[in-house]
Amino acid sequence: MNNQEIVAKVIFDVIKEHLSLAEVQKLLETPKSVDHGDVAFPAFALAKAFRKAPQQIAADLKEQINGEAFEKIEVVGPYLNFFMDKGQVTEKTLKAVIEAGEHFGDSTIGENGNVTIDMSSPNIAKPISMGHLRSTVIGNSIALIMKKIGYNPIRINHLGDWGTQFGKLIVAYKKWGSEEAVRATPITELLRLYVQFHEEAETDKALEDEARAWFKRLEENDEEALRLWQWFREESLKEFNKIYDMLEISFDSLNGEAFYNDKMAEVVTLLEEKHLLKENQGAEIVDLSAYDLNPALIRKSDGATLYITRDLAAAIYRKRTYDFAKSLYIVGNEQSNHFKQLKAVLKELGFDWSDEMVHVPFGLITQGGKKLSTRKGKIVLLEEVLNEAIASANEQITEKNPDLANKDEVAKQVGVGAVVFHDLKNDRLNNFDFNLEEVVRFEGETGPYVQYTYARAMSILRKADFVADAEKSYTLADPESWEVVKLLQKYPETVLQAANNFEPSVIAKHAIKLAQAFNRYYAQTKILVDDNEKEARLALVYALTTLLKEDLRLLGVHAPQEM
Ligand code: ARG
């Protein structure tokens, strides 16, 4: 039981006739200042029922309530302020964390149900963008969090490997490209060809028609078109894999848009059977005005299918293949309309499971306040960003700890971890500016700060040769350790909050707060001094390292033992 639950229970016990346990719990507040205790109950909620002044109600309640779990209960105006018995709570919390270890906060809520997570999903022949990085790391963290509460996550990289842009690319390659150039620097060269196509197409209108014709050939499995497409795809994947390897993220499925090429006819048939397809200037659409949405364009006048047609086929395929409990799409906020249309069409088809599909959107990464865009060639090469972050981490470690044994390995964990942590620490819908220097700082609310705090705490435990024992009782009651204990105790609900909102930032913020609380404790307390509380202080440090490491793990970030 957490503090709120303990307080709710003792209040409920004396006012059963008036409020339910859940109602009491809803009313409880966390006081802004520690001087007002750990939990507060506003007695004015009972004024009507009791026909008394709130102050009087608060005073009466105080007399009746079972006070065993508290240091004191104070009446302040209409409020009842509860001060938890720190010793008791600390003892229970440390025992629970030591017993469960990294499994503290695990649950079986998910009942092993499959959760498909559409994540990363970069486009072939283009560099993986900062937006795709966001999707990759947010998706991975959500997968880890869902796993912790008992779901079975399935990471799907819905590669953008189909669409009219491949017609353009084939035309550009045949006109201005060469095999050697593509082999040498695949993505740079393919991007160059793509940009050149758009430049030349501004004056040469015939190019667009040629591109459409080549895409048509591709859709009809023309041998040359297929061979080129396959080759572009392979070369691109090699480049993407470099980044996935650095992030240590892998996928359960790489079925991208092309995979659905032969599965779209069924979608069109289903739509026809339900009389949902309407003709519009030769194209076929589904009217969604009942949903206050623009019509979904399913098939163009030349018969070519679209992004949404492939997503319809993918959604149906995923339901059949995985029978998902939930199906998540970690895709930028700018596609929210697309996902509304997707769900609406599925609903029209009578697929009620579409209610379990969730678009999990996120904001933009800007640089110097400006949006990054591929079209204009303003791209940030992710591999470079990650390598610079590693180099910066390396410099700082060399300064702080020149003799560190596995320095390169640690620098990689810190540099990459810094970029990932920075991405995850803000509410995912917020836009944020990317500034490498800030990301890799060892102070402030950064990944390296959390990792550094963890490493310092680990070195204390090593010095003391501490072995935690769940059978022993460890108690502390000072105000600094109390701040740490409260964060440890809150862990299970923190994990649930992150899972329910698909929000890794809840975990990142918990990690930052925990690290800060520990550093305040460490500044005030001589942990290793030999007195009768030494073991308890070490147990606190031990519990803290356990959950700090688990926080980092849930974000997909390493926790080096030393740095
Ligand atoms: N490839 C797309 C893009 O880069 C993202 C795909 C997202 N997933 C999906 N099922 N539509 O914009």
Side-chain angles (χ1 to χ4, degrees), residues 118-124 126 129 131-132 135 156-161 165 257 307-308 310-311 314 318 328-332 334-335 338-339 342:
D118 185 306
M119 56 187 265
S120 197
S121 312
N123 300 320
I124 296 300
K126 287 196 193 162
S129 71
H132 296 120
S135 169
I156 303 176
N157 193 342
H158 186 79
L159 290 170
D161 56 3
Q165 73 270 28
E257 295 187 41
Y307 183 52
I308 194 165
R310 295 186 278 280
D311 256 330
R318 285 173 196 174
L328 311 182
Y329 293 82
I330 322 298
V331 185
E334 67 281 359
Q335 290 192 31
H338 166 76
F339 286 102
L342 178 62

Side-chain angles (χ1 to χ4, degrees), residues 116 266-267 270 311-329 342-358:
T116 55
E266 188 199 344
V267 173
L270 284 172
D311 256 330
L312 286 166
I316 295 169
Y317 176 84
R318 285 173 196 174
K319 185 63 195 175
R320 277 186 198 145
T321 310
Y322 304 110
D323 191 24
F324 55 71
K326 288 181 201 300
S327 174
L328 311 182
Y329 293 82
L342 178 62
K343 287 185 65 166
V345 175
L346 289 165
K347 196 82 187 175
E348 285 293 278
L349 280 169
F351 294 134
D352 283 334
W353 46 258
S354 60
D355 292 339
E356 304 311 326
M357 288 166 55
V358 186

Side-chain angles (χ1 to χ4, degrees), residues 7-8 122 218 239 247 273 330 360 474-475 532:
V7 171
L218 189 56
E239 299 270 307
L247 294 170
E273 279 170 10
I330 322 298
V360 180
Y474 302 106
T475 56
N532 56 4

